[in-house]
Amino acid sequence: MSDQADEHRDATSGIPAGRVGGRDGRSTGPGRVPLRDPANPVSRKAVALWLVEQLFWAVILVGGAFLLARWIDGDRWSWLPGWVVDNIWWLPVVVGVLVVPAAIVEPFWRYAVHRWEFSGDVVYARSGWIDREWTFVPVSRIQTVDKAQGTLERVLGLATVEIRTASHAGSSTIRGLDYGVAAALAEGLARRAEELRDDAT
């Protein structure tokens, strides 16, 4: 049959509700097939969300390095080597050079990686930045589906869908969705999970 059918069997039988490891996008068990990309990207507005979040933490780190350098320079910490104290003002510069470019690149990289799909009664998601994580959640295992919005998400019209099963390893969180998409996904998952529970009884 098709790769999609093979992957669906892999998701619902080999790994019923959980994550598959490997940075190369391959599942870890014998006889597994490479994982294809989930069908749907997250919203492009997620780049702005992640960029603001990362720049916020970059400012905190660079500001902290600046305050630390000022403290060390003012008190002339005697237990530090002299060359460290003499060159302490390089600390915020080095932190800035390391942190700021990473903060700018990460949101675009994450946008390229983060994808999701709801098909065949399975939610399939991929997330991460340096490490990548593939998650399969059979709808029949879902206990709760929540739609959440942080302050910045609300400003940008985004939302997060949180999918919970009895097993923490089988749960999934999909961030960076347009609010309408998140609402439709949460409603569809909740409705289908209820239908499957009714069929089982």
Side-chain angles (χ1 to χ4, degrees), residues 39-112:
N40 307 304
V42 298
S43 172
R44 288 185 180 275
K45 291 183 289 186
V47 174
L49 172 69
W50 293 326
L51 183 61
V52 171
E53 290 176 345
Q54 293 306 312
L55 288 178
F56 170 81
W57 288 111
V59 169
I60 294 295
L61 289 173
V62 174
F66 175 83
L67 292 176
L68 180 61
R70 184 175 179 180
W71 183 18
I72 293 174
D73 185 57
D75 290 353
R76 306 297 296 180
W77 291 3
S78 59
W79 54 273
L80 286 176
W83 66 270
V84 172
V85 176
D86 292 339
N87 296 286
I88 198 60
W89 285 107
W90 280 102
L91 177 63
V93 175
V94 171
V95 171
V97 167
L98 294 176
V99 170
V100 173
I104 294 172
V105 169
E106 181 188 2
F108 296 94
W109 197 331
R110 287 178 68 179
Y111 175 76

